[in-house]
Every structure is written in structure tokens, then in C-alpha cells.
Amino acid sequence: MLIVDDVEINRVILSQFFQDDYAIVLAENGKQAWDIVRKEPVNIVLADLVMPVMDGFTLLSLIKKDERTANIPVIVMTGSSDSDNEVRAMEMGAADFITKPYHPTIVRYRVRNVMARLENEWRKLEQAAKDRQLSEIHRYVDRDALTDLYNRESFYRRAAEIMQSSMDVPYDIIYLDISCFKIINDLFRMETGNIILKTAAYYFRAVVGEDGIVGRLEADHFALCMPAEQFDPDTFFDGLESTVRSLGISHNIVFYAGIYPVEDAFLPVDQMCDRARLALERVRGSYVKRYAFYDKSMREQMLEEQMLVRDMEFALQDHQFCFFLQPIYNLHTNEVVSAEALVRWNHPTEGVISPGKFIPIFERNGFIVRLDRYTWESVCQYLRKELDQHGHVVPISANVSRLNFYNEDLLEYLLSLIGKYQLEPWMLRLEVTESAYTENPRQIAAVIQKFQEKGFQVLMDDFGSGFSSLNMLKNLSMDVLKIDMDFVPDIDKKNSRAQIIMKDVVRMAQELKTDIIVEGVETKDQIDYLDSIGCEKIQGYYYSRPVPQEDFEKLLYK
Ligand code: C2E
Ligand code: MG
Ligand code: MG
């Protein structure tokens, strides 16, 4: 660990925090630090921002610009209420910032958190080993073989050159993505997918003309860099859609775009693309809007995301995560037959944060695997406590995020929990979302079968929300289907299509000897209809919202 601070006492304090975990090297200013970083292997840098000779910003930018040092995480130290500097440092690639005066626990967790994030990233990289090998090959050539567009690295390089050489011209960075491209590849043959990519590439090249450039960054992701004046999004999309339609493919191919109007030509192009991509995420999946412009609020959202990522590691240690229980009722007996554990985050400053906010982020950075394991263990502790107190329990289901399936020891881990708390596998049910299955059918099917052989009950969550529900039913024997009411919102309208579909899904499940739970039920009319077609098990606000464990007891033993 390299600690850079011009004030000796700060160097001493920080060294003391980490002397047990790291070999420590000290520097008094950015210049000394830069010499060290280039000569010695450094795992992490803690750098003060304000220093004589060379300040922290300059050091940070040197480290991030040099290919040999760019991967070293840099945590910057700022004075209190210095948020401009914090934002600037984060944008320049700082891994995190720490505010003075130093609090030993916080400083330690921040560092641990940064290192854990790196580890997650490594794991993700490993998973994509194949992809990486491919892109390694491409890195040294300038062009993407399929479309002959610039590849990622050369796009970043060339776009920076163009924008920096004509600073008086405002540019746009346009990031494009084809909706559900994987499904197009599955439905048709690979060649069809390739033709779509090539056609799009052809069109993009025509659009950017002489004054701009276009690159294919990966798979179905493209980026354009062109003078803002020449880019009109509506015309652009009209042309794109009619060009692709002329291929005559019997599937609606939808592009989404995020546009970043470049303010500072010296911002690294990958960050410009990130911003355009942030804007894209706002319209992804929309039926009416195909593009969005980046604005500051998106950056705030990103910073909020960064805050969650920054705090997650400490939160886990600090037991800030807990679970609520939402009961599942039998509508005939009005009794609780089981429950679902749903995680909540009691954040010390933000209050209770709902999973909709943090789960997608944790699924992206891999932390979900650890959070899920923590939740399962908490559920097991709860079950143990209940057994000791009452002698019996209802089964509790826990969500198993798809990333878990990449870990070979998943089943072993669950069995070890069951053993540790002396439970039986049927007590802890496992909910797997349908989309997990769509992504990786073979592997998931194999794992699920093993769960079942060991006595675990597996529930298919959000059934009907994905694209391959029927396919999945054909190949996979689930113990329970959880049907989401979003799937059939008009269920209480007489003779609606929704009713017909629901009725048949239920009949099908019955014939397949698969149990059904209907989720998200809110009204008496819905209950009556579900009763009439033979659904018994209901989870929804009609009976109860997810509640803390103590309140769940009251529902169970009322
Ligand atoms: P899910 O597993 O499908 O959970 C059901 C969600 O529907 C819960 O939201 C629940 O509060 C909500 N819900 C239940 N009944 C009704 C109703 O009648 N009306 C409406 N409008 N909503 C209802 P929650 O707790 O916000 O969880 C959202 C999602 O977050 C979950 O969807 C699940 O995908 C994920 N999640 C929650 N806890 C965990 C966890 O421990 N691990 C993982 N991997 N994911 C989790
Ligand atoms: Mg669930
Ligand atoms: Mg669900």
C-alpha cells in the first residue's frame, strides 16, 4: 500500500491502520509517489489531494492514464465538505474518497470494500474468459472483423483525437444497443444476427460521414461520435428503422440510444460512453421512446449508486441487512402455509432502502452472491429459533439470484447451512427467477435437479414474465410456479384474455403436478376468480405486505 500525504502525522496515522494487512510505502507528494508506482508493485494507493510539488489530482490522472498503472485503485483523501473535489476525483477514476478526520473503522472498511470490488471484478472477468481472449486478439487490430468498424480501443482513441483537435465544434456521443439481441440470435440463426449488425454498421457509417466516426464496442453495442449539429435523433431513428426493416426479418428489431452532448473534450471517451449509456438505460424497454439525452440527474443517480456500492461491504459486516417475511395464505383455510423472505437494507443515513434499488446494482457488481448467502443464513437462524420455540415451522422461501449459479459450491453451501442449524431441506425453499433460466437453461436445469434430489423445493419466481415460460415448463420440473399478477392484470375482468390464459396455465400446472402460488394479489375479486379456477395459495397485499419477523409471528399464531 502506498500512502501519499505531505503531513507526517497523517502518514503515521494511516500506516498504523494498515500495518497488519499491508506492506506500506510512504511518499510526501505526488511526484515521489509517481516514481514509486512506476518502479514497485503497488496494490492500492491512498493519496491526499492537496500537496505541494505535485497534487493528488495530477497523481491520479498520471496513474489512470498509464496502461501499466491504470488498474491500481486510488482512494483520495479530502477535507470535510469538499464535495466538488470528491466528484471530480471520482470522475477521474478514483476508486473512492475518504473525508478527514480519519475514523479508523471507516477507513479500514473503505479500503476493504475497494479491494473486494476489485475481486468481484476479477471474478466477472474470469467468467468472461472466453470473451476476453477474443477481445485480446482484437485489441491489437484496429477494426472489428464482422462489421469493419473501429473496435472499442480504437474508437476511444480516435474519438478523443477528433474531439480534441476541433475544440470549437460541439460533439455528441451516441451509444446504441439492440433490444434483446440474444433472443434474435436464438430465434433465428447466427447469420441473421450478423446481417443485422452489418446492416446497422453500414447505416451508421453513412450517418457519421466524414466528420465523425463509429465503433462497435461489443456484441450489439455501437457508439457514434459526430458533430452535434449534424445529428438529429428522430431522422436518425427513422432511417435506421427503415433500413433494418428492409431486411424483411419477421421480428421487430428495436434499437435504443443514449446521447451525451460532450462538454469537455478531455473527459476520457469511455466515461463519455458511460454517460450516454446511463441515458440509454432510461429508455431501455420503452415502447414509445427510443432515445434519451444524458442530463445531470442521471449523474446524481449514478453517484447515489456509487454510494450504495461504497457502503455495501460495511453494511454487511454491520448487519444493516435484514429480511421481512411476506406470508403465503391458503385461501380456503385463511391460514399461513409458508412465507417469502425479502431483504431490506436499514441504511444509517438513508433509512430503509428497498431491494428494487440495490439488488440490480449488486447483481451487476457480483455482491449479490454474498448478500444472498447472508440472507439464507439469517433465514436458517430464524427457522432454528422457531423450531426451538414452537417445535414446528412453515417453510420459508429465499431468493436465489442467478449469479449464484456460477458458483460450483452452491449446493454444498446450502447443505452446510442446513447441517449447521440442524434443519431439513424442505424448510428452506429456493426461488429462482425465470429470467435466470432463460439466460443459462442447461446449467440451471442441472443444478435445480440436484437441489431437488437433496430434498430442496424449488420455486420458479416471476413465471410468465420472461420470454420462454413454456419452453422452460417443458424442460424443467419445478416444485412450484409463482405466477406474477403483473402477468395478468385484468384477471378479475370476466372472460378477458387474462382469465383465459390464467385458467390454462393453472390447468397445465395441475396436470404437470406442479404447485402454484399466485403473487401480487390485491383484491377480493381477484381472490374469487383464482378460487374458481382452483388456485389455493396466494401471496399479496390482499392478505399482508412483507412484515418484520415479530409481526409475522402474530399472523402465524393469531
Ligand atoms: P419477488 O421475489 O418477485 O418478490 C415479490 C415482490 O412483490 C416483493 O417486493 C413484494 O413486496 C411484492 N409484492 C407482494 N405482494 C404484492 C402485491 O399484492 N402488490 C404489489 N404491488 N406488490 C406485491 P420487494 O420486497 O420489494 O422485492 C422486490 C424483488 O427484489 C423481489 O421480487 C426479488 O426479485 C428481489 N429480492 C428481494 N429480496 C431478495 C433477496 O434476498 N435476494 C435476491 N436475490 N433478491 C431479492
Ligand atoms: Mg421471490
Ligand atoms: Mg416474484
Side-chain angles (χ1 to χ4, degrees), residues 121-189:
E121 236 127 69
W122 283 329
R123 202 180 311 143
K124 268 199 298 192
L125 279 180
E126 253 167 23
Q127 273 166 22
K130 224 169 105 197
D131 294 6
R132 193 184 50 199
Q133 273 176 359
L134 269 180
S135 71
E136 284 284 280
I137 297 168
H138 284 185
R139 244 178 88 161
Y140 295 101
V141 293
D142 235 17
R143 301 264 169 186
D144 161 50
L146 178 72
T147 59
D148 202 36
L149 297 180
Y150 286 115
N151 61 21
R152 178 192 296 273
E153 283 72 23
S154 50
F155 175 80
Y156 288 168
R157 201 175 55 239
R158 298 298 302 263
E161 283 165 13
I162 291 181
M163 290 186 284
Q164 289 167 13
S165 67
S166 42
M167 297 273 284
D168 45 339
V169 181
Y171 277 85
D172 279 345
I173 292 283
I174 303 130
Y175 195 98
L176 286 136
D177 183 359
I178 303 177
S179 167
C180 304
F181 189 65
K182 195 174 167 300
I183 290 169
I184 297 169
N185 265 337
D186 287 350
L187 282 177
F188 305 98
R189 292 179 315 165

Side-chain angles (χ1 to χ4, degrees), residues 340-342 397-400 430-433 459-462 482 519 539:
E340 175 173 7
L342 293 157
S397 62
N399 291 284
V400 180
L430 308 171
E431 291 198 10
V432 183
T433 67
L459 287 67
M460 177 61 45
D461 205 354
D462 308 325
K482 291 190 83 169
E519 258 190 294
Q539 175 179 355

Side-chain angles (χ1 to χ4, degrees), residues 331-507:
L331 56 71
H332 290 134
T333 61
N334 272 330
E335 274 174 3
V336 178
V337 289
S338 57
E340 175 173 7
L342 293 157
V343 71
R344 298 288 181 267
W345 182 351
N346 284 312
H347 194 281
T349 56
E350 306 293 307
V352 179
I353 310 179
S354 77
K357 249 197 176 154
F358 57 83
I359 299 257
I361 301 173
F362 294 172
E363 283 184 333
R364 258 179 274 142
N365 68 17
F367 185 68
I368 190 67
V369 172
R370 300 191 33 222
L371 178 59
D372 272 356
R373 289 187 173 203
Y374 176 84
T375 306
W376 306 334
E377 176 143 21
S378 313
V379 170
C380 288
Q381 281 165 354
Y382 170 79
L383 284 165
R384 184 68 255 160
K385 191 184 85 198
E386 285 297 288
L387 278 172
D388 290 342
Q389 257 175 25
H390 302 284
H392 59 89
V393 287
V394 293
I396 309 276
S397 62
N399 291 284
V400 180
S401 172
R402 66 197 163 78
L403 274 190
N404 289 291
F405 289 91
Y406 292 104
N407 280 11
E408 307 234 316
D409 67 339
L410 174 60
L411 177 61
E412 251 165 68
Y413 181 79
L414 284 162
L415 286 171
S416 78
L417 281 181
I418 297 294
K420 180 171 172 193
Y421 294 96
Q422 295 178 303
L423 305 170
E424 289 169 40
W426 62 264
M427 297 172 182
L428 178 66
R429 296 179 160 188
L430 308 171
E431 291 198 10
V432 183
T433 67
E434 187 191 318
S435 53
Y437 176 79
T438 322
E439 211 170 83
N440 198 351
R442 280 236 190 95
Q443 194 187 355
I444 298 230
V447 180
I448 284 177
Q449 199 183 346
K450 284 199 197 124
F451 285 149
Q452 289 169 327
E453 282 163 10
K454 294 287 180 194
F456 286 104
Q457 295 249 312
V458 183
L459 287 67
M460 177 61 45
D461 205 354
D462 308 325
F463 179 77
S465 64
F467 284 92
S468 60
S469 312
L470 293 178
N471 224 349
M472 190 211 67
L473 268 192
K474 190 177 89 213
N475 299 326
L476 204 63
S477 85
M478 283 290 153
D479 297 291
V480 182
L481 293 186
K482 291 190 83 169
I483 303 175
D484 203 295
M485 282 295 280
D486 269 358
F487 170 50
V488 276
D490 295 330
I491 198 76
D492 38 11
K493 293 216 181 79
K494 252 203 155 43
N495 298 322
S496 59
R497 297 173 74 87
Q499 283 200 344
I500 298 169
I501 293 172
M502 187 64 138
K503 197 156 73 190
D504 268 2
V505 169
V506 172
R507 191 184 48 76

Side-chain angles (χ1 to χ4, degrees), residues 12-132:
V12 172
I13 295 177
L14 289 169
S15 311
Q16 278 171 357
F17 293 164
F18 296 106
Q19 61 194 11
D20 294 343
D21 303 329
Y22 290 91
I24 293 175
V25 193
L26 301 173
E28 287 174 25
N29 58 52
K31 187 162 177 310
Q32 277 185 9
W34 178 233
D35 286 341
I36 294 171
V37 166
R38 276 181 306 172
K39 291 197 195 104
E40 296 178 30
V42 171
N43 286 335
I44 184 164
V45 178
L46 304 191
D48 190 17
L49 279 181
V50 187
M51 290 180 293
V53 188
M54 182 196 283
D55 68 6
F57 285 118
T58 317
L59 174 64
L60 177 61
S61 92
L62 284 172
I63 292 181
K64 292 295 152 190
K65 279 207 184 111
D66 190 319
E67 216 174 277
R68 289 163 300 177
T69 54
N71 288 333
I72 304 174
V74 179
I75 300 183
V76 298
M77 262 82 79
T78 59
S80 55
S81 70
D82 215 2
S83 64
D84 279 356
N85 278 344
E86 287 162 6
V87 170
R88 185 168 156 220
M90 296 299 274
E91 283 191 342
M92 287 173 67
D96 203 350
F97 56 85
I98 296 172
T99 317
K100 295 175 192 169
Y102 306 129
H103 181 292
T105 318
I106 293 185
V107 174
R108 239 182 247 124
Y109 273 109
R110 289 285 176 86
V111 168
R112 199 186 285 180
N113 187 6
V114 164
M115 295 313 269
R117 259 153 59 198
L118 269 188
E119 232 169 78
N120 277 331
E121 236 127 69
W122 283 329
R123 202 180 311 143
K124 268 199 298 192
L125 279 180
E126 253 167 23
Q127 273 166 22
K130 224 169 105 197
D131 294 6
R132 193 184 50 199

Side-chain angles (χ1 to χ4, degrees), residues 322-327 339-344 346 352 382 385-386 396 544-556:
C322 71
F323 65 86
F324 276 21
L325 287 167
Q326 186 175 28
E340 175 173 7
L342 293 157
V343 71
R344 298 288 181 267
N346 284 312
V352 179
Y382 170 79
K385 191 184 85 198
E386 285 297 288
I396 309 276
S544 167
R545 290 178 177 255
V547 292
Q549 290 155 34
E550 311 81 71
D551 297 350
F552 179 70
E553 303 281 274
K554 287 179 206 146
L555 297 173
L556 199 53

